[in-house]
């Protein structure tokens, strides 16, 4: 990795910047997402620098995707971001995509945005911004559920719940209800029956009416039945 770090440090600053930001997103990135991030800083756009990175064999372009040529290159690029600044960089990336993406692009990039913002969530102090991120995690969790990636759904929904304040059931009732209900259902989907009771009980205690409590009761019943089958 050290040799790769030295190679990256020899690149122009624009190329280093792109590699570091790409390393935060993952092993690959769609060119439209990369443009949303880098065009805010690189006046000339990201692509001249990308050509150089590709020539150096650090990235591969496949269609509209840019991919690290090797996992070690991603690790080397990420290591160049100071540890105490990494979560801030993730927050910056998520914020830029969220601000500039079209509705269509946002739908396809929702997991990237949620992941990036969640990494920097501890730096979000404004309650309205926390609510917005909680809503985003709800959307990401529901999409993950629809795709059958239930473990990811659990993670997004749990992150959303963590952003709620003590008065969330009074201030943002529908959001709180949806997050907790979907969270209980996602726990059932991955067989985490021991945790469903706590999630469902929060709904039963806080929900305003029987209709809002019903999904929690149904999830509890399904969980008990599934545990009996296992036993």
């Amino acid at each position: 990795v050290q040799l790769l770090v030295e190679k990256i440090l020899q690149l122009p600053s624009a190329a280093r910047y792109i590699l570091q930001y790409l390393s935060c997103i993952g092993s690959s990135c769609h060119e439209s997402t990369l443009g949303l991030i880098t065009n805010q800083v690189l006046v000339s756009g990201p692509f001249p620098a990308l050509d150089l990175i590709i020539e150096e064999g650090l990235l591969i372009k496949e269609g509209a995707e840019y991919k690290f040529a090797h996992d070690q290159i991603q690790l080397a690029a990420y290591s160049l971001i100071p540890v105490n600044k990494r979560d801030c960089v993730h927050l910056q990336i998520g914020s830029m995509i969220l601000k500039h993406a079209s509705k269509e692009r946002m739908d396809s990039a929702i997991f990237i945005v949620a992941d990036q913002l969640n990494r920097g969530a501890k730096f979000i102090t404004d309650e309205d911004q926390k609510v917005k991120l909680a809503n985003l995690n709800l959307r990401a969790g529901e999409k993950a559920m629809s795709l059958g990636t239930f473990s990811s759904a659990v993670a997004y929904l749990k992150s959303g719940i963590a952003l709620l304040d003590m008065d969330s059931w009074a201030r943002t009732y529908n959001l709180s209800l949806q997050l907790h209900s979907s969270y209980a259902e996602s726990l059932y989907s991955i067989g985490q029956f021991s945790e469903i009771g706590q999630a469902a009980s929060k709904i039963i205690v806080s929900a305003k009416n029987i209709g809002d409590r019903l999904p929690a009761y149904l999830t509890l019943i399904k969980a008990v039945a599934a545990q009996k089958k296992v036993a």
Side-chain angles (χ1 to χ4, degrees):
V1 173
Q2 186 57 39
L3 290 175
L4 290 170
V5 167
E6 292 173 4
K7 183 173 183 177
I8 293 171
L9 287 173
Q10 293 173 3
L11 296 171
S13 59
R16 295 199 306 271
Y17 168 85
I18 289 172
L19 284 171
Q20 288 175 33
Y21 269 58
L22 275 174
S23 73
C24 292
I25 292 175
S27 60
S28 66
C29 180
H30 193 278
E31 64 182 9
S32 63
T33 301
L34 180 59
L36 289 170
I37 300 167
T38 55
N39 281 337
Q40 306 309 310
V41 176
L42 303 178
V43 177
S44 62
F47 302 108
L50 278 168
D51 291 339
L52 173 60
I53 297 170
I54 292 169
E55 288 174 10
E56 292 292 328
L58 299 171
L59 286 181
I60 300 169
K61 190 171 190 294
E62 295 181 356
E65 293 282 326
Y66 288 92
K67 299 182 177 182
F68 281 100
H70 194 281
D71 291 344
Q72 294 298 311
I73 299 171
Q74 180 187 353
L75 291 173
Y78 194 70
S79 72
L80 290 172
I81 305 173
V83 174
N84 63 339
K85 293 184 178 180
R86 288 176 184 174
D87 289 343
C88 286
V89 174
H90 284 288
L91 181 61
Q92 183 183 9
I93 291 171
S95 298
M96 284 191 287
I97 300 173
L98 184 62
K99 181 178 180 180
H100 298 288
S102 64
K103 183 180 183 300
E104 293 74 18
R105 185 62 194 138
M106 187 62 205
D107 287 341
S108 61
I110 190 167
F111 295 140
I112 292 174
V113 178
D115 289 340
Q116 296 300 310
L117 293 176
N118 285 338
R119 283 291 302 269
K122 64 184 178 183
F123 296 109
I124 301 175
T125 56
D126 181 79
E127 288 302 325
D128 288 340
Q129 292 302 314
K130 287 183 179 181
V131 169
K132 287 180 181 179
L133 181 52
N135 265 300
L136 189 70
N137 274 291
L138 174 61
R139 286 173 56 194
E142 289 178 339
K143 183 172 183 177
M145 288 279 284
S146 71
L147 295 173
T149 52
F150 301 116
S151 293
S152 294
V154 169
Y156 288 124
L157 296 165
K158 187 174 183 179
S159 294
I161 290 171
L163 289 159
L164 300 176
D165 62 22
M166 296 290 290
D167 300 322
S168 65
W169 284 91
R171 292 179 61 246
T172 52
Y173 176 80
N174 288 335
L175 173 60
S176 299
L177 178 64
Q178 288 177 283
L179 276 170
H180 284 86
S181 297
S182 295
Y183 180 55
E185 182 64 25
S186 66
L187 288 171
Y188 170 78
S189 298
I190 62 170
Q192 293 289 339
F193 304 128
S194 61
E195 297 179 40
I196 292 173
Q198 183 177 355
S201 64
K202 185 67 177 177
I203 301 168
I204 293 168
V205 169
S206 305
K208 293 178 179 179
N209 55 63
I210 187 63
D212 289 346
R213 296 187 190 98
L214 186 58
Y217 285 125
L218 293 175
T219 301
L220 276 173
I221 291 168
K222 288 193 297 183
V224 170
Q227 283 178 296
K228 286 183 177 179
K229 284 185 180 179
V230 173

